[in-house]
Amino acid sequence: MSRFGGAAVACILVLGLWACRGAGPLPAGAALGGLADVDQPESYTGATLYTYIDGGADLYVNQGFSELYVRRYARGNERFIVELYEMNDATGASHIYQGSRRPNAEKELASGCIASVTPAEILAARGRNYLVVRNEDPQAKQSDGLIELGRNVLNRLPGQCAFAPMK
């Protein structure tokens, strides 16, 4: 192998380890209602976020981004992806949610927590975490599996919900 080829392989290995450090607070699928794990969990820091979000990372970095945890799950024919953005503080997570939510699609997802819920995506903020749960099929119809996964992950997060239902 040439010196250049060896260096390229070393870089690929380092980048692979850098982006796949672990699931962090995202549990295995079995702990979330019998889902199957798909692929290895991934995590990204400020330096590597740009490899995951091409062109959109500045939004998160400017709001105090700390780390992103990504995990893919499956149940039957459905495939889900969970992105958990850990911010430096709750204000950053709340700002990201406010800019991303769909106001006409908000409802109480977990006790005391309002989320933006569409047939293919759930968005929520709790504590210093901004949560995105997606059905990988963008044309998906409302799914009990998506709602259950979003609720299960949201209930495991520490802190207060950014948006609570009106009393």
Side-chain angles (χ1 to χ4, degrees):
M1 182 181 304
S2 71
R3 229 173 46 185
F4 176 76
V9 169
C11 282
I12 290 169
L13 288 173
V14 167
L15 285 174
L17 291 173
W18 197 14
C20 298
R21 294 184 316 135
L26 295 176
L32 292 171
L35 294 165
D37 296 312
V38 178
D39 297 329
Q40 291 297 313
E42 306 165 25
S43 66
Y44 300 85
T45 63
T48 59
L49 183 62
Y50 292 89
T51 63
Y52 184 75
I53 304 176
D54 186 17
D58 285 342
L59 170 69
Y60 298 92
V61 171
N62 291 339
Q63 291 298 327
F65 171 78
S66 177
E67 193 149 7
L68 166 62
Y69 302 98
V70 179
R71 195 144 192 181
R72 290 170 177 80
Y73 303 99
R75 177 179 288 148
N77 292 333
E78 291 184 300
R79 300 288 181 265
F80 306 106
I81 184 166
V82 175
E83 299 171 344
L84 183 61
Y85 295 83
E86 195 172 89
M87 308 304 282
N88 290 331
D89 57 40
T91 302
S94 177
H95 284 194
I96 297 291
Y97 175 76
Q98 285 178 320
S100 303
R101 70 191 173 111
R102 289 157 183 84
N104 294 331
E106 288 182 305
K107 66 181 190 178
E108 187 171 8
L109 182 65
S111 181
C113 291
I114 294 292
S116 175
V117 180
T118 66
E121 180 179 69
I122 293 172
L123 309 172
R126 183 172 204 154
R128 48 187 224 135
N129 295 289
Y130 171 65
L131 175 66
V132 178
V133 181
R134 275 192 207 98
N135 189 317
E136 288 192 354
D137 176 1
Q139 302 300 315
K141 300 205 182 316
Q142 192 70 51
S143 161
D144 291 340
L146 179 72
I147 300 234
E148 180 184 337
L149 176 57
R151 183 176 290 126
N152 284 341
V153 173
L154 189 59
N155 279 331
R156 292 170 177 270
L157 298 176
Q160 298 295 314
C161 288
F163 296 89
M166 300 293 286
K167 299 219 179 202

